[in-house]
Each structure stands twice: as C-alpha cells, then as structure tokens.
Amino acid sequence: MIALALAAMLLAAPATEAKPAPAPADFDRACRDEYGRDLCDEAVRADIRRRFGVEPAEALAGRGVEGVRVFMVDGYSRDMPLISVLWADKTAAPVLETRVLTRDSFRVMTAPANRWTVESVGTLMRLTRTSEERVGRYGPPAADGSPAPPVMCLHAWVSITEVLDAGRVHRRIRTACGDDPVFDGGYLLSTTALNGQDGCWALDASLYRNDSTRLVACASLMGDTPYDAAEIHNRLSGRVFARPGETALDDLSAMMAPDLTVRWPDQPASQGPTAVASAWHKRTQNPGRARLWIQSATASKQGVTVTGLLSEQRGEDETVEAAFSQTWTKDKRYIWRLTDWTIQPFAKRR
C-alpha cells in the first residue's frame, strides 16, 4: 500500500509558513489534516472551495450535475490540485478539469474525459457511495470487530472525495494511512489529469514526489510548445541548476550563453558562464540556500521565457524574495542556452 511509502517520501518535504494548530478537546484525527484543519467542518471546506473558485457540490447536484471531484491535501496541510470529472446530464460529454492554486489565485486546465477515465470514475463513484461515511485514521476495524492494528503514519496525505449522483452528494474523507480504495482512487486521478495535458508528461517524474506535485509544475507550462517549456522547467528543477555542487559547475556553465551577464541585486555583476555559475553555486549553499520558484515557463518560436521568485533564507526566521525572469534560446547547434537572467531587488517574503 502507498501509505508507508508516502509517509517516508513526505518526511523530506519542505516546511511551509503554516503552523500546526493545537488539537481541540474533540479532536478527531480521521477528519483532520496534518496541521489540524477539520475537513469535516463545512466552514473549512467552504474556505478551500473559495480559494479554488468552485461551488458547493450540493449546488451542482441540485442542477443535475453528476460525477466526482477530489480535493487532495499533502502531508503539510497544503491544498494540492483539485481534480474533477463532471457532466451536466446523461448526454453531456464529461470534462476532466484540474485546478491548481497559485500564489494569488488559481489556474484551470481542462481536457476531454476519455472512455477509460469515465469508466474509472464510475468505479470510484460506486466505491465511494457504498463505503462507510466515517472510518478510523487507519481504516475500518477488522472483521471480528477488533480495532485496526497500530500503523506508523507521519505527514499523511488526506482526500475529500465528493460524488454527485442523482441529485445527491456522497462525501468521504480518507487518509493515506491504511488500505482504502476511496483514497487510492482519488489519488490516481492525478495521473489521469497529468496525462490529459499536452507537455505535462515531459516533466521529469524523478524530480517530483508524485503526479499531484507534478501537476503543480504542469500548471506553469504555457505557450505554443509546452514540451519546450517542460524541458527548460526540467533544467531549472534538476540538481545541476537547483543545487549545483562543485563538480557540477562545468555542466552548469555549459547551460549559459557566452555573453551572459547577471546583475545580482546585492552583489557585483557576474560576466560570462563561469562567473555566473560560480556566483549562483555560492548562493545555493548555506546559509542562504537560494532557490528558484517557477511561476511560468512560456514557450514560443523565439524561445522560452521563465518568470518566478528567487528565495533566500536570511537568518532563522527571515526569508527574502526577488522576482526574476529568464530567457532561454537555442544556439546554432540547437542547444538551449540561458541568454538573459534579470533579478529584481530583494524584499521580505509576504
């Protein structure tokens, strides 16, 4: 089962600004994500829906909409892509929709739902409808009535699965702790959504914990040729660029155009690939631990333009950010080179 594997992978996940909430007296672990949000509370779910820009399932079902949608929360209480497969009536074509939260809003990606997707969703709908409304943290008790055995489960993912069927809503909250087909079916929808988007499969899977986190990166791919955008995204997210060691400096400088100059906001400019690679290497080491957060990678005939934030840690509790943009173009040998890197002044992370 994926529960223990997920737990192991997520132990290494970066922390967020969110702080764990103290457990209330009526703490119900089966309802809560890792930092204590009560997902059984309609007010909490309403806030999640607001950020994704979606209606309550009951409102959709009241208009005759059917299908399934899955809200997924990672092991650090971050809302991952919302995936839905819905249709307006029995004759309407189902639509596979993915919503990914951005810094200030969300992005919507859609694709037709093929026959395999519809059949899989039908199975998930049946499993959800016929499952118990509430189960323990690690699943239902054994057949003889004894409680489920103890399971070590840290930073588990949590899902909210909503099935809209014949005017009714069947809602189930499940975690990655234990064997649960409702959680597993919702988790696999991320792979279905990823395969429905051009270029997303070109993102290097080894750079992501799973297809849900890969979908977040997918939402940043834009332009006429998303495969080119994915290639540059892979370069920036790979270890040579993201965490270059001393032995990677030659490979890093080889990605850069001969005349590249980077004007850092807080130190002298670096001229030429070797100088830029060396300066960037130093910034990625302790204590600064510089990191690039990619907001968009837009491909065109002229090349790929990347925008995002350069984040650095300053002391134990302060992080600064600087907006940046990059331009990547192919040289005469059709090799991608970083030809421009513009970085704005640093400011405290908001």
Side-chain angles (χ1 to χ4, degrees):
M1 176 28 193
I2 61 175
L4 292 179
L6 278 174
M9 289 189 294
L10 292 170
L11 283 174
T16 66
E17 308 94 278
K19 302 296 182 183
D26 60 346
F27 182 80
D28 185 343
R29 197 65 182 92
C31 280
R32 297 181 184 272
D33 63 18
E34 190 65 20
Y35 285 2
R37 284 190 306 178
D38 185 354
L39 301 178
C40 294
D41 185 341
E42 169 56 20
V44 173
R45 294 198 301 265
D47 182 62
I48 296 173
R49 291 195 305 267
R50 175 189 59 79
R51 286 184 288 115
F52 277 108
V54 296
E55 295 182 80
E58 286 76 9
L60 295 172
R63 298 201 301 272
V65 176
E66 296 191 344
V68 66
R69 70 181 183 187
V70 178
F71 299 82
M72 193 68 67
V73 182
D74 79 357
Y76 287 86
S77 299
R78 292 174 292 210
D79 291 310
M80 302 305 289
L82 163 62
I83 302 171
S84 62
V85 180
L86 302 173
W87 51 91
D89 55 57
K90 296 293 185 182
T91 62
V95 175
L96 172 61
E97 180 184 273
T98 303
R99 291 181 177 237
V100 178
L101 294 180
T102 61
R103 191 179 180 92
D104 301 308
S105 185
F106 56 87
R107 185 185 174 198
V108 181
M109 301 181 290
T110 60
N114 59 32
R115 181 178 177 180
W116 182 89
T117 299
V118 173
E119 291 179 355
S120 298
V121 164
T123 300
L124 178 57
M125 292 175 69
R126 176 179 56 79
L127 289 170
T128 303
R129 284 196 310 266
T130 58
S131 67
E132 298 180 62
E133 287 198 22
R134 300 290 298 280
V135 298
R137 177 68 171 172
Y138 308 118
D144 61 3
S146 60
V151 176
M152 180 180 179
C153 191
L154 302 176
H155 296 288
W157 287 42
V158 185
S159 66
I160 306 174
T161 301
E162 297 178 334
V163 166
L164 291 66
D165 182 42
R168 296 186 58 192
V169 176
H170 307 267
R171 184 177 291 108
R172 304 290 186 265
I173 297 172
R174 299 289 192 265
T175 78
C177 301
D179 295 314
D180 193 294
V182 174
F183 177 87
D184 293 349
Y187 184 81
L188 290 174
L189 270 184
S190 294
T191 301
T192 302
L194 189 77
N195 291 334
Q197 297 296 322
D198 285 343
C200 289
W201 62 267
L203 291 168
D204 185 350
S206 69
L207 300 175
Y208 304 94
R209 287 185 174 85
N210 51 45
D211 283 343
S212 185
T213 57
R214 205 169 162 202
L215 268 176
V216 175
C218 173
S220 69
L221 305 182
M222 302 178 185
D224 302 328
T225 53
Y227 305 98
D228 287 341
E231 183 173 349
I232 299 306
H233 204 296
N234 289 338
R235 288 189 174 216
L236 292 175
S237 302
R239 180 166 293 276
V240 171
F241 205 107
R243 285 289 182 268
E246 290 284 356
T247 58
L249 290 182
D250 288 344
D251 291 334
L252 179 59
S253 61
M255 296 183 186
M256 302 172 181
D259 59 349
L260 177 67
T261 296
V262 176
R263 293 175 174 81
W264 308 100
D266 56 356
Q267 68 181 57
S270 303
Q271 294 182 319
T274 300
V276 173
S278 178
W280 175 241
H281 166 258
K282 291 179 181 178
R283 300 190 81 101
T284 62
Q285 308 307 300
N286 291 334
R289 295 191 289 274
R291 183 174 182 180
L292 297 181
W293 296 91
I294 301 172
Q295 294 176 318
S296 68
T298 305
S300 67
K301 293 180 180 179
Q302 289 71 41
V304 176
T305 301
V306 179
T307 65
L309 296 170
L310 191 165
S311 174
E312 289 190 9
Q313 188 171 338
R314 303 283 174 86
E316 289 295 326
D317 300 315
E318 182 181 346
T319 301
V320 295
E321 293 176 333
F324 78 88
S325 64
Q326 291 182 343
T327 301
W328 293 74
T329 57
K330 288 184 178 179
D331 63 16
K332 294 180 180 180
R333 294 184 293 167
Y334 298 98
I335 297 175
W336 287 106
R337 306 287 189 191
L338 176 59
T339 54
D340 180 79
W341 188 356
T342 301
I343 305 171
Q344 303 300 322
F346 281 109
K348 287 186 178 180
R349 182 167 65 186
R350 56 187 176 86

